[in-house]
Amino acid sequence: MNIQVLGAHNCESQNSKFISLLIDDALAIDAGGLTSSLSFPAQQKLKAILLTHHHYDHIRDVPAIAMNLFLRSTAINIYSTQSVYDAITNHLLNGKLYPDFLKRPQDNPTIKFTIVRPHQTEQIEGYSILAVPVNHTDLTVGYQVTSPEGKTIFYTSDTGPDLTECWKYISPQLLIIEVTASNKYEEFARESGHLTPSLLKQELTSFREIKGYLPRVIAVHMDPSLEKEIETEISAVAQTLNNPITLAYEGMQLEL
Ligand SMILES: [Zn+2]
Ligand SMILES: [Zn+2]
């Protein structure tokens, strides 16, 4: 399994992109920095997009990819919970802000949308996909993705503390988890459903207690203005837990 980090951050600038991951060139998870990271031919190779929740930094490129694929007579499958579907169809692809690509072109619409339900394994493009609720906004889900060869990753999406329940459902070899803010912003992180390095440490400790191991950990969704602090604090956590934790960056490639 090849995992490419297209966007690794929660804010966009010339040097940082909204969150988006790409698996084996075929499966994208979240669409923050999707079109801005991929050539048109690479966009046409996409088979499916999994969306975790409706926040703008996670769905921003859905209209853009839909237009690109529409113009190239290609279709794509999008999977999400009902609330993400409602947000996209009511506010983005509503025929006003942008065309309704769920209905256009009439004979073969560009977007084929499927609603996923938590804790139900779906077969998507040869991968086993399990959506697991995390603690963020409405119903936000993380996705466990298992390849045909049995390689497994879990991406938490945005989440606040207390993932004890979530950990029970997953057994990844690679954990991609959000760490948005540095330790001094713990109160903000708790209120807005995000993690800091010290909150990450608690979550990883509970993972190890429940699962009996720790996978390799990749941190994503960092606030670029806090990234230096986050990096320093995370390396201390990695040392204490004696487990590799790496900050993701745009263009990072991971092999499993
Ligand atoms: Zn969010
Ligand atoms: Zn976010």
Side-chain angles (χ1 to χ4, degrees):
M1 190 191 274
N2 171 272
I3 302 115
Q4 207 182 324
V5 180
L6 302 179
H9 292 91
N10 70 336
C11 292
E12 190 170 79
S13 73
Q14 191 175 27
N15 307 314
S16 64
K17 287 182 181 178
F18 284 151
I19 186 87
S20 189
L21 307 171
L22 180 63
I23 296 172
D24 297 333
D25 297 327
L27 192 66
I29 315 183
D30 280 339
L34 191 59
T35 47
S36 60
S37 306
L38 296 176
S39 66
F40 290 122
Q43 292 176 27
Q44 280 182 275
K45 275 197 216 163
L46 282 174
K47 299 276 187 267
I49 304 171
L50 312 175
L51 299 173
T52 61
H53 66 300
H54 60 240
H55 282 158
Y56 187 71
D57 53 323
H58 298 251
I59 62 160
R60 198 270 312 268
D61 285 354
V62 168
I65 190 114
M67 177 61 91
N68 293 344
L69 296 179
F70 172 79
L71 294 173
R72 286 162 184 78
S73 304
T74 310
I76 189 148
N77 294 300
I78 299 186
Y79 297 83
S80 79
T81 59
Q82 183 70 45
S83 69
V84 181
Y85 173 87
D86 291 344
I88 288 176
T89 51
N90 288 332
H91 302 297
L92 293 178
L93 303 177
N94 56 7
K96 255 187 189 174
L97 205 84
Y98 232 35
D100 182 355
F101 291 116
L102 285 79
K103 296 199 183 100
R104 295 182 60 187
Q106 256 178 6
D107 51 336
N108 184 29
T110 304
I111 295 181
K112 300 185 192 338
F113 225 111
T114 305
I115 305 299
V116 295
R117 283 176 185 78
H119 303 138
Q120 286 184 19
T121 304
E122 306 253 0
Q123 298 302 317
I124 298 174
E125 307 297 336
Y127 298 84
S128 288
I129 308 291
L130 180 66
V132 186
V134 293
N135 303 314
H136 187 53
T137 182
D138 285 356
L139 175 57
T140 299
V141 294
Y143 286 105
Q144 177 166 270
V145 179
T146 305
S147 72
E149 300 79 37
K151 305 286 187 191
T152 301
I153 67 158
F154 184 73
Y155 161 56
T156 60
S157 181
D158 292 0
T159 185
D162 196 6
L163 294 166
T164 315
E165 192 55 30
C166 169
W167 297 151
K168 292 178 187 162
Y169 291 90
I170 62 164
S171 297
Q173 291 149 311
L174 177 72
L175 175 65
I176 302 175
I177 186 166
E178 80 119 284
V179 183
T180 300
S182 54
N183 287 340
K184 70 175 176 227
Y185 294 104
E186 180 168 327
E187 203 182 315
F188 153 81
R190 285 182 181 279
E191 279 168 8
S192 54
H194 290 297
L195 296 176
T196 64
S198 103
L199 294 171
L200 171 72
K201 185 177 154 201
Q202 293 171 29
E203 296 312 316
L204 294 180
T205 303
S206 97
F207 186 107
R208 184 140 68 185
E209 276 168 22
I210 293 167
K211 310 301 289 188
Y213 79 103
L214 265 184
R216 183 181 170 196
V217 177
I218 305 290
V220 293
H221 201 265
M222 290 74 65
D223 179 336
S225 66
L226 303 173
E227 193 153 356
K228 281 247 151 55
E229 273 170 80
I230 294 172
E231 189 169 23
T232 308
E233 291 166 358
I234 275 195
S235 70
V237 174
Q239 219 163 21
T240 313
L241 296 176
N242 193 25
N243 194 71
I245 310 174
T246 318
L247 261 61
Y249 53 88
E250 282 75 17
M252 184 185 209
Q253 300 259 4
L254 299 151
E255 291 290 339
L256 261 194

